[in-house]
């Protein structure tokens, strides 16, 4: 549905011309339809009034906007790959654009990184003594205006933050997709941006797991010392606690990653307890449940149909409250030995929004090499991806039905 703004009202006895796309000061691309009232020669000399200018967006329908919040190194990229795979096509940078672009485009989705709305480059942040997590280092006004424009079907020239150089690069053109995913540190920080989201997810990695992951990555792969890793985490923690972590109370779904309870005193972060926290009463979203909706259930599925080596697998499901909201929580502790046996677990889950029996298992096998594919992080990311597909289909079908109902009325 095109979005139009009419600037004056004129007679319907008019001619029409369509101008070339115009660009606004905020980087929007619009088209104008200009109506000119025909001059009248009655009663004297011809006269004509000014044109009626109607500015319309170029999009055919409103874009569905998904927000994904998490700290750095918490699995946002992996989640995006799983999500875009559900909708089909590989997510790739814009063709012919900046090779350091953070944007990913697939058949139906466009993923933009909110780091692109940094108002300060790396040097600027260092001079002012602020981190990228600090709201003062980000342009929320531009973020809001451009996300709002894309949601309305208007293309924008989005800035690019270059993670290689730490500089702000020239902008890139972002055309309205069917689904826009905004991922980064602050998708739910600004109330105006938050209100544009059709669905929101928060990846909540506990401090213990985050520390274990960072040690594995930075010590093994980058040669960092344990002391430098601790210092890096501690330096970010105050801003993370102040500006990033509070956003989870606004999320429609939270994937919480915790240390396992199956191994007493475990601190390696290799076996994980993962909880999918789903808010009740969200439009177009029905929480997943295990066996019986609304009941409280503990389930150890290991046995003849599911191979489980030490320490095994345990599921839990039940109602709860989260920041004052009614939620349903599905929990998995442990990891799968054989992904092809996941279909046994899948068959006991309901409201997973699959198109066919075994779709969750198929998606997990398809991306078996992704991080978390043998535990609850991969399972719940996949399920949330399928739920977002269902949400998108419900939203688009309701928009299609609305004009039809209006004509009947």
């Amino acid at each position: 549905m095109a979005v139009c703004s009419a600037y004056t009202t004129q007679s319907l006895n008019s001619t029409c011309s369509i101008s070339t796309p115009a660009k606004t000061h905020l980087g929007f691309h619009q088209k104008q339809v200009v109506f000119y009232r025909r001059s009248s020669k009655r009663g004297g000399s011809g006269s004509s009034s000014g044109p009626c200018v109607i500015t319309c967006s170029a999009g055919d329908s409103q874009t569905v906007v998904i927000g994904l919040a998490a700290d750095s190194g918490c699995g946002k990229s992996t989640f995006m790959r799983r999500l875009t795979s559900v909708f089909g096509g590989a997510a790739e940078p814009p063709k012919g654009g900046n090779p350091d672009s953070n944007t990913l485009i697939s058949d139906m989705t466009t993923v933009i990184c909110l780091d692109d709305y940094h108002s300060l480059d790396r040097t600027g942040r260092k001079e002012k003594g602020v981190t990228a997590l600090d709201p003062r280092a980000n342009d929320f006004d531009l973020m809001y205006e451009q996300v709002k424009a894309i949601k309305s079907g208007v293309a924008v020239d989005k800035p690019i933050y270059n993670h290689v150089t730490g500089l702000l690069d020239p902008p890139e053109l972002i055309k309205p997709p069917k689904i826009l995913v905004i991922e980064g540190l602050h998708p739910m920080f600004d109330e105006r941006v938050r209100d544009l989201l059709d669905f929101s997810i928060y990846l909540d990695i506990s401090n213990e797991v985050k520390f274990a992951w960072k040690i594995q990555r930075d010590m093994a792969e980058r040669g960092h010392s344990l002391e430098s890793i601790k210092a890096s985490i501690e330096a970010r923690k105050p801003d993370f606690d102040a500006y990033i972590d509070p956003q989870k109370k606004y999320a429609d779904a939270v994937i919480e990653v915790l240390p396992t309870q199956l191994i007493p005193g475990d601190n390696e972060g290799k076996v994980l307890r993962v909880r999918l926290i789903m808010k009740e009463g969200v439009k177009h979203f029905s929480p997943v449940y295990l066996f019986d909706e609304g009941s409280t259930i503990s389930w150890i599925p290991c046995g003849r149909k599911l191979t489980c080596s030490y320490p095994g697998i345990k599921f839990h499901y039940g109602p709860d409250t989260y920041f004052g909201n009614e939620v349903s929580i599905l929990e998995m502790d442990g990891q799968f030995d054989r992904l092809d046996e996941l279909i046994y677990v899948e068959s006991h889950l309901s409201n997973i929004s699959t198109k066919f029996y075994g779709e969750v298992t198929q998606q997990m096998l398809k991306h078996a090499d992704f991080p978390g594919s043998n535990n609850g992080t991969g399972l719940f990311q996949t399920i949330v991806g399928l739920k977002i597909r269902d949400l998108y289909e419900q939203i688009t079908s309701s928009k299609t039905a609305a004009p039809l109902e209006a004509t009947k009325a």
Side-chain angles (χ1 to χ4, degrees):
M1 182 181 295
V3 179
C4 303
S5 301
Y7 293 97
T8 62
T9 303
Q10 298 293 341
S11 167
L12 292 177
N13 183 22
S14 60
T15 61
C16 172
S17 68
I18 302 177
S19 72
T20 56
K23 182 177 171 183
T24 71
H25 70 287
L26 290 171
F28 305 159
H29 291 260
Q30 299 173 327
K31 289 184 179 179
Q32 294 181 337
V33 181
V34 185
F35 291 86
Y36 294 93
R37 184 178 179 183
R38 288 175 181 166
S39 60
S40 172
K41 294 185 179 179
R42 290 184 181 178
S45 60
S47 63
S48 63
S49 55
C52 167
V53 180
I54 301 180
T55 301
C56 302
S57 71
D60 295 327
S61 61
Q62 192 178 59
T63 294
V64 172
V65 182
I66 308 299
L68 174 65
D71 195 9
S72 174
C74 288
K76 295 189 297 295
S77 298
T78 302
F79 182 86
M80 287 299 96
R81 290 160 68 194
R82 293 189 191 275
L83 176 61
T84 53
S85 175
V86 166
F87 287 97
E92 299 176 343
K95 293 181 180 179
N98 188 329
D100 294 322
S101 171
N102 304 305
T103 303
L104 293 173
I105 299 174
S106 64
D107 294 350
M108 292 181 62
T109 63
T110 293
V111 180
I112 62 174
C113 175
L114 295 184
D115 288 358
D116 288 336
Y117 292 99
H118 286 341
S119 56
L120 299 172
D121 61 18
R122 193 175 294 157
T123 301
R125 294 196 300 272
K126 187 174 182 180
E127 290 175 348
K128 292 186 177 293
V130 298
T131 71
L133 290 73
D134 193 312
R136 293 173 294 176
N138 298 274
D139 190 341
F140 288 100
D141 289 338
L142 183 61
M143 183 191 301
Y144 163 68
E145 293 293 348
Q146 291 203 337
V147 173
K148 180 182 177 183
I150 295 172
K151 186 179 177 74
S152 299
V154 180
V156 304
D157 283 322
K158 181 190 62 60
I160 298 174
Y161 176 76
N162 191 316
H163 286 95
V164 177
T165 65
L167 300 174
L168 302 174
D169 285 354
E172 62 184 352
L173 177 66
I174 301 297
K175 297 178 181 178
K178 294 183 183 297
I179 301 160
L180 174 70
V181 182
I182 59 172
E183 62 90 359
L185 298 169
H186 304 97
M188 292 171 269
F189 180 83
D190 187 286
E191 183 179 5
R192 299 168 301 170
V193 178
R194 194 164 65 238
D195 288 344
L196 295 174
L197 301 178
D198 293 291
F199 193 77
S200 55
I201 310 106
Y202 186 92
L203 303 184
D204 187 15
I205 316 301
S206 70
N207 290 331
E208 300 92 332
V209 173
K210 194 184 298 184
F211 183 58
W213 284 1
K214 203 165 180 63
I215 287 177
Q216 292 170 24
R217 185 190 68 179
D218 290 357
M219 287 188 71
E221 299 176 16
R222 302 180 181 179
H224 294 183
S225 67
L226 183 62
E227 291 73 21
S228 68
I229 294 170
K230 288 181 178 179
S232 173
I233 292 174
E234 290 302 316
R236 291 175 63 88
K237 195 172 186 307
D239 280 356
F240 173 80
D241 291 344
Y243 308 122
I244 312 306
D245 195 55
Q247 293 176 76
K248 63 188 179 187
K249 66 184 176 184
Y250 302 115
D252 298 314
V254 175
I255 298 178
E256 186 178 53
V257 183
L258 302 159
T260 181
Q261 292 182 334
L262 300 175
I263 305 174
D266 178 75
N267 59 4
E268 291 186 3
K270 292 181 179 179
V271 180
L272 301 172
R273 178 167 68 101
V274 186
R275 306 204 309 160
L276 175 57
I277 304 168
M278 300 161 283
K279 191 180 291 184
E280 297 282 354
V282 177
K283 194 173 182 180
H284 305 304
F285 176 78
S286 299
V288 179
Y289 64 91
L290 176 66
F291 291 113
D292 183 46
E293 186 173 17
S295 298
T296 300
I297 294 167
S298 291
W299 180 43
I300 298 175
C302 303
R304 295 180 180 177
K305 296 183 180 180
L306 190 70
T307 305
C308 298
S309 58
Y310 179 82
I313 295 176
K314 184 176 183 179
F315 279 86
H316 183 272
Y317 162 77
D320 208 330
T321 57
Y322 187 77
F323 290 99
N325 297 302
E326 296 295 320
V327 298
S328 290
I329 300 179
L330 178 63
E331 176 182 311
M332 175 186 166
D333 196 350
Q335 56 190 28
F336 300 108
D337 286 351
R338 294 181 53 181
L339 279 182
D340 60 322
E341 295 179 344
L342 173 60
I343 197 164
Y344 174 62
V345 173
E346 180 180 349
S347 67
H348 290 81
L349 297 172
S350 297
N351 273 356
I352 51 179
S353 299
T354 52
K355 296 284 189 184
F356 54 86
Y357 179 74
E359 187 177 12
V360 171
T361 303
Q362 182 193 74
Q363 285 288 328
M364 291 285 284
L365 287 167
K366 181 180 177 181
H367 303 300
D369 59 332
F370 284 12
S373 289
N374 66 340
N375 59 46
T377 58
L379 175 61
F380 294 156
Q381 285 177 7
T382 298
I383 290 174
V384 170
L386 295 172
K387 298 297 292 183
I388 290 173
R389 181 184 65 186
D390 181 60
L391 176 135
Y392 165 77
E393 291 173 350
Q394 289 188 58
I395 291 174
T396 52
S397 63
S398 65
K399 288 176 182 177
T400 302
L404 295 176
E405 291 299 322
T407 57
K408 293 178 182 178

